[in-house]
Amino acid sequence: MAVDTRQLGRSGIEVSALGMGCWAIGGPWAEGARPLGWGRVDDDESVRAVRRALDLGVTLFDTADTYGAGHGERVLGRALAGRRDEAVIATKFGYTFDERTRQATGENASPHYLRRAVTGSLRRLGTDRIDLYQLHLGDLPLPRAEALIGTLDDLVDAGLIRAYGWSTDRADRAAAFAQVARGAAAVQHALSVLRDAPAMLDACDKHDLAGLARGPLGMGLLTGKYTPESTLPRDDVRGLGPTWLEWFRSGRPAPEWLRRVAAVRDALTADGRTLAQGAIGWIWARSDRAVPIPGARTVAQVEENAAALARGPLAPDHFAEVERQLAAVRSAALRDADRPHWPMPP
């Protein structure tokens, strides 16, 4: 059963059921010597990928001002030139950066900075409005997030943004924010077949929020192209293996996660889907509010991901088999050396 569109929560904004994550097309940027991008990219190919996504029915594009220290927004704006009305743009604010040096410089959650940030994003994107504007600081204390609501509502009233949300894995904070923020429409959070998010999905249902599913392909693990011998380059954020990045360690796929991918591969691909398409279909079967936003930087990646739209959610029996396999893997994980690496609840 094909799945075409979904609503961005209570905003009334309609989006494709599949989005495109635009972190990778930002290209290289760093915090000091630590890379935060996905290595070098071809901007022309990125533009072609975005336009191909539009051609295939993908309308939601998720970026952030800090991706590539502003470069990601510029590339997306270039790609959407002449086709802006076909797209729904989601971007984020909260981290500070230097565009000239492509360095991350910190964070700023003040209302004053918020107004500066939205102006900068509008300029780089080459547009007069942002459809979904998201707070990027996932661990920001709730009172500081709530202090931004008045300014965000002013931006809605001014027509500079249409709706807003929060990129966080803290379900309690997302729920509390949505209760008092009239323009809140979505929460962006981690969700994949490898990492469920029941508390966040419950919060989305209760507060009429869309869930933008971040990391739906496990940062590439659920494409099936990585083996225990795979090594990521040092200029790729996955190659450095920071502590918050659970899927990779020391530039290699974490073996416990590869075992979990192997455990569900057959069930995800049983009806002829690719592994990536099965992982996307699992998310649609898991929640009718979830909009997976897999990253892509080439036309070929976009085409494979977008083909999932025609297949729709996993069939109930395939979904049940995936859950059965995962239950067995999770039980084993509690008994062996994987335990320290199993993600803790947000």
Side-chain angles (χ1 to χ4, degrees), residues 61-147:
F61 298 88
D62 178 77
T63 187
D65 58 2
T66 194
Y67 294 164
H71 187 70
E73 287 186 330
R74 293 184 186 279
V75 171
L76 182 59
R78 174 186 158 196
L80 295 178
R83 303 186 67 176
R84 172 65 182 92
D85 290 342
E86 299 175 50
V88 174
I89 296 177
T91 192
K92 310 180 194 74
F93 69 94
Y95 288 107
T96 60
F97 53 91
D98 185 318
E99 290 194 56
R100 183 183 60 83
T101 61
R102 288 207 178 189
Q103 282 284 319
T105 58
E107 59 185 60
N108 191 327
S110 69
H112 175 72
Y113 180 75
L114 165 56
R115 290 187 179 276
R116 286 176 47 203
V118 74
T119 299
S121 286
L122 289 167
R123 182 185 69 251
R124 287 185 293 269
L125 289 162
T127 186
D128 60 353
R129 80 278 185 193
I130 292 165
D131 300 295
L132 179 66
Y133 202 39
Q134 303 160 97
L135 174 60
H136 205 172
L137 305 175
D139 290 325
L140 193 70
L142 182 61
R144 295 184 62 196
E146 290 178 336

Side-chain angles (χ1 to χ4, degrees), residues 114-314:
L114 165 56
R115 290 187 179 276
R116 286 176 47 203
V118 74
T119 299
S121 286
L122 289 167
R123 182 185 69 251
R124 287 185 293 269
L125 289 162
T127 186
D128 60 353
R129 80 278 185 193
I130 292 165
D131 300 295
L132 179 66
Y133 202 39
Q134 303 160 97
L135 174 60
H136 205 172
L137 305 175
D139 290 325
L140 193 70
L142 182 61
R144 295 184 62 196
E146 290 178 336
L148 298 170
I149 292 173
T151 304
L152 288 165
D153 285 337
D154 288 346
L155 294 175
V156 172
D157 292 341
L160 298 179
I161 65 176
R162 296 175 67 193
Y164 53 85
W166 194 351
S167 178
T168 181
D169 289 324
R170 308 279 183 173
D172 56 341
R173 298 185 192 184
F177 184 79
Q179 281 184 299
V180 296
R182 63 178 170 89
V187 58
Q188 184 171 147
H189 62 94
L191 177 66
S192 75
V193 67
L194 298 177
R195 187 178 185 188
D196 200 358
M200 188 66 82
L201 294 177
D202 287 347
C204 288
D205 285 338
K206 182 176 181 180
H207 299 287
D208 193 13
L209 300 172
L212 272 59
R214 180 183 351 105
L217 301 183
M219 296 188 79
L221 285 187
L222 285 160
T223 64
K225 67 181 180 181
Y226 293 112
T227 70
E229 290 73 40
S230 299
T231 302
L232 280 298
R234 297 289 295 177
D235 64 349
D236 188 317
V237 65
R238 298 168 297 175
L240 186 66
T243 55
W244 56 264
L245 200 161
E246 60 196 349
W247 316 110
F248 295 83
R249 288 199 301 277
S250 302
R252 292 195 168 188
E256 67 273 13
W257 289 111
L258 285 178
R259 289 196 290 274
R260 291 162 197 159
V261 172
V264 298
R265 180 188 296 270
D266 288 348
L268 290 175
T269 60
D271 61 356
R273 305 171 195 244
T274 67
L275 181 60
Q277 292 163 1
I280 291 168
W282 180 90
I283 290 175
W284 287 329
R286 180 69 179 86
S287 169
D288 61 6
R289 292 182 176 273
V291 181
I293 49 171
R297 49 182 166 178
T298 67
V299 169
Q301 290 170 341
V302 163
E303 290 176 340
E304 179 177 0
N305 293 342
L309 287 165
R311 292 187 173 272
L314 284 187

Side-chain angles (χ1 to χ4, degrees), residues 17-82:
L18 178 75
M20 176 178 168
C22 299
W23 179 5
I25 69 173
W29 55 300
E31 183 178 34
R34 182 166 67 93
L36 296 173
W38 292 55
R40 297 197 174 277
V41 293
D42 179 339
D43 288 347
D44 290 338
E45 177 67 4
S46 297
V47 168
R48 288 190 289 268
V50 170
R51 292 176 179 169
R52 183 59 175 152
L54 278 175
D55 293 341
L56 294 173
V58 175
T59 63
L60 174 64
F61 298 88
D62 178 77
T63 187
D65 58 2
T66 194
Y67 294 164
H71 187 70
E73 287 186 330
R74 293 184 186 279
V75 171
L76 182 59
R78 174 186 158 196
L80 295 178

